[in-house]
Amino acid sequence: MSTNKHHRAINHDRQRSRYIPSCYRYRSSTSSSNTTKSTNTSTASTASSSLAEDTTVVLSPTARQLTMHALKSAIPMIGFGFMDNTIMIHAGHYVDCTLGVTFGLSTLAAAGIGQIFSGIGGVIFGDGLDALFHKISGGTNMTRGQRAMRKSRIVGLTGGVIGVTIGCALGLVNLLFVDETKASLLKLQALEDGQEFEFEVEVDNEIRPGYTTVRVRGPDVDGVLASITASIASIGCSVVELHAENRAQKNQENGESILEKISQSQSLQRNTLEDVFIIRDRSTQLAIDDEDLDELARTVLAAARDPLNSNSLKGIVEELQVENDALVDRISVLEGMLEDRQIKVVKTTEKQDAS
């Protein structure tokens, strides 16, 4: 009896031992199967995503996207063009009035120096406007592939060209706030130290009867000839003849070397011009009165020493002349209207019709 119980217990243990491993084997196979399936699924999804990326078709950008892309390209260029012209005009004008007068730089050279500053300022403000517009608009929502399309590149380039054109045109408004003649007048006025005391003026009524001869000797300074001519016209005189000679060149033609002439006297190095004006009074068509010769000589000397004031006086005279012509025309019209009111004419035909 006990033996049978013992055998049944052993058989039960064997069955139990067989059942537990089989269960574990079942679970293990199931988990491994699930793991294999998940691995295969992830591999398949990776492969499919790679294949999708390789075969993805880039959609053409919409009209709104292209419009936003054009605006995004144009607005920074408007700021760039405006700041570029603004800084170049003001910086170039300042350089022309300072360094240009001191070192004799041309206006184009001053504009080139001003362009250095305008380029820096334009880039800075252009990037700032680009960042501001991108922040406000939120971008164009275009993918990298869409931005790389030929259509998008053309639209962006066109927007940039239009933007920089508008900006540069707006920057030209700064010309209204710049005195364009200031630099040239300052250059005319910029005489070397002591040069204003080297001019000599001779006025003579005996050389040519009926005319006054004005002889001016002095340093070769740009604008002096025009300045003297304007001063003569401003006092009511007309220039009949003008002879301008370079004394150093004349001495060279006579057989004297320029270096020899300079070595003889330093003053002769600078007194190279000799201008002769044959003038007469505009109203009388005669020579200037002897009593007015001293005033004439002083006026000419002042014009030679200070071309700026003389050119300013010329500008004032021209403005007054224009105003005077306008007043003359207005007076003529008013006189005609007054005469028409004062005169009454009755013709024969009108009498017969009235009767």
Side-chain angles (χ1 to χ4, degrees), residues 26 35 51 68 84 130 135 151 157 222 225 229 334 348:
Y26 175 75
T35 304
L51 183 61
M68 294 298 296
D84 184 74
D130 188 12
K135 182 178 179 181
K151 181 191 299 185
L157 178 62
D222 293 337
L225 184 61
T229 305
L334 292 176
T348 306

Side-chain angles (χ1 to χ4, degrees), residues 191 195-203 214-219 224 227-228 231-232 293-307 310:
L191 300 177
Q195 279 190 333
E196 64 271 17
F197 301 107
E198 296 178 2
F199 287 100
E200 299 177 359
V201 178
E202 295 180 5
V203 181
V214 180
R215 191 183 304 272
V216 181
R217 302 185 185 92
V224 171
S227 177
I228 296 174
S231 65
I232 292 175
L293 292 181
D294 184 69
E295 181 182 356
L296 173 63
R298 294 181 184 278
T299 302
V300 172
L301 181 60
R305 287 180 174 180
D306 194 357
S310 177

Side-chain angles (χ1 to χ4, degrees), residues 26-37:
Y26 175 75
R27 290 180 179 178
S28 176
S29 63
T30 304
S31 62
S32 62
S33 176
N34 292 336
T35 304
T36 304
K37 288 181 180 180

Side-chain angles (χ1 to χ4, degrees), residues 223-283:
V224 171
L225 184 61
S227 177
I228 296 174
T229 305
S231 65
I232 292 175
S234 65
I235 60 176
C237 299
S238 302
V239 178
V240 180
E241 293 181 13
L242 172 60
H243 304 276
E245 293 181 350
N246 189 306
R247 296 178 63 186
Q249 182 179 0
K250 182 178 179 181
N251 292 332
Q252 186 180 16
E253 292 175 355
N254 292 335
E256 298 183 17
S257 173
I258 297 179
L259 296 178
E260 293 178 357
K261 198 67 179 176
I262 292 175
S263 62
Q264 291 179 6
S265 173
Q266 185 178 1
S267 62
L268 291 178
Q269 178 185 3
R270 290 192 291 261
N271 294 346
T272 55
L273 290 184
E274 182 173 310
D275 301 331
V276 179
F277 298 84
I278 307 299
I279 66 174
R280 62 184 179 183
D281 190 283
R282 189 183 297 118
S283 59

Side-chain angles (χ1 to χ4, degrees), residues 64-65 67-69 71-72 75 129-143 147:
R64 183 181 182 279
Q65 287 178 325
T67 303
M68 294 298 296
H69 184 54
L71 289 175
K72 188 176 182 297
I75 290 180
L129 289 175
D130 188 12
L132 179 63
F133 179 74
H134 183 77
K135 182 178 179 181
I136 296 174
S137 62
T140 59
N141 295 325
M142 294 175 62
T143 63
R147 287 194 299 268

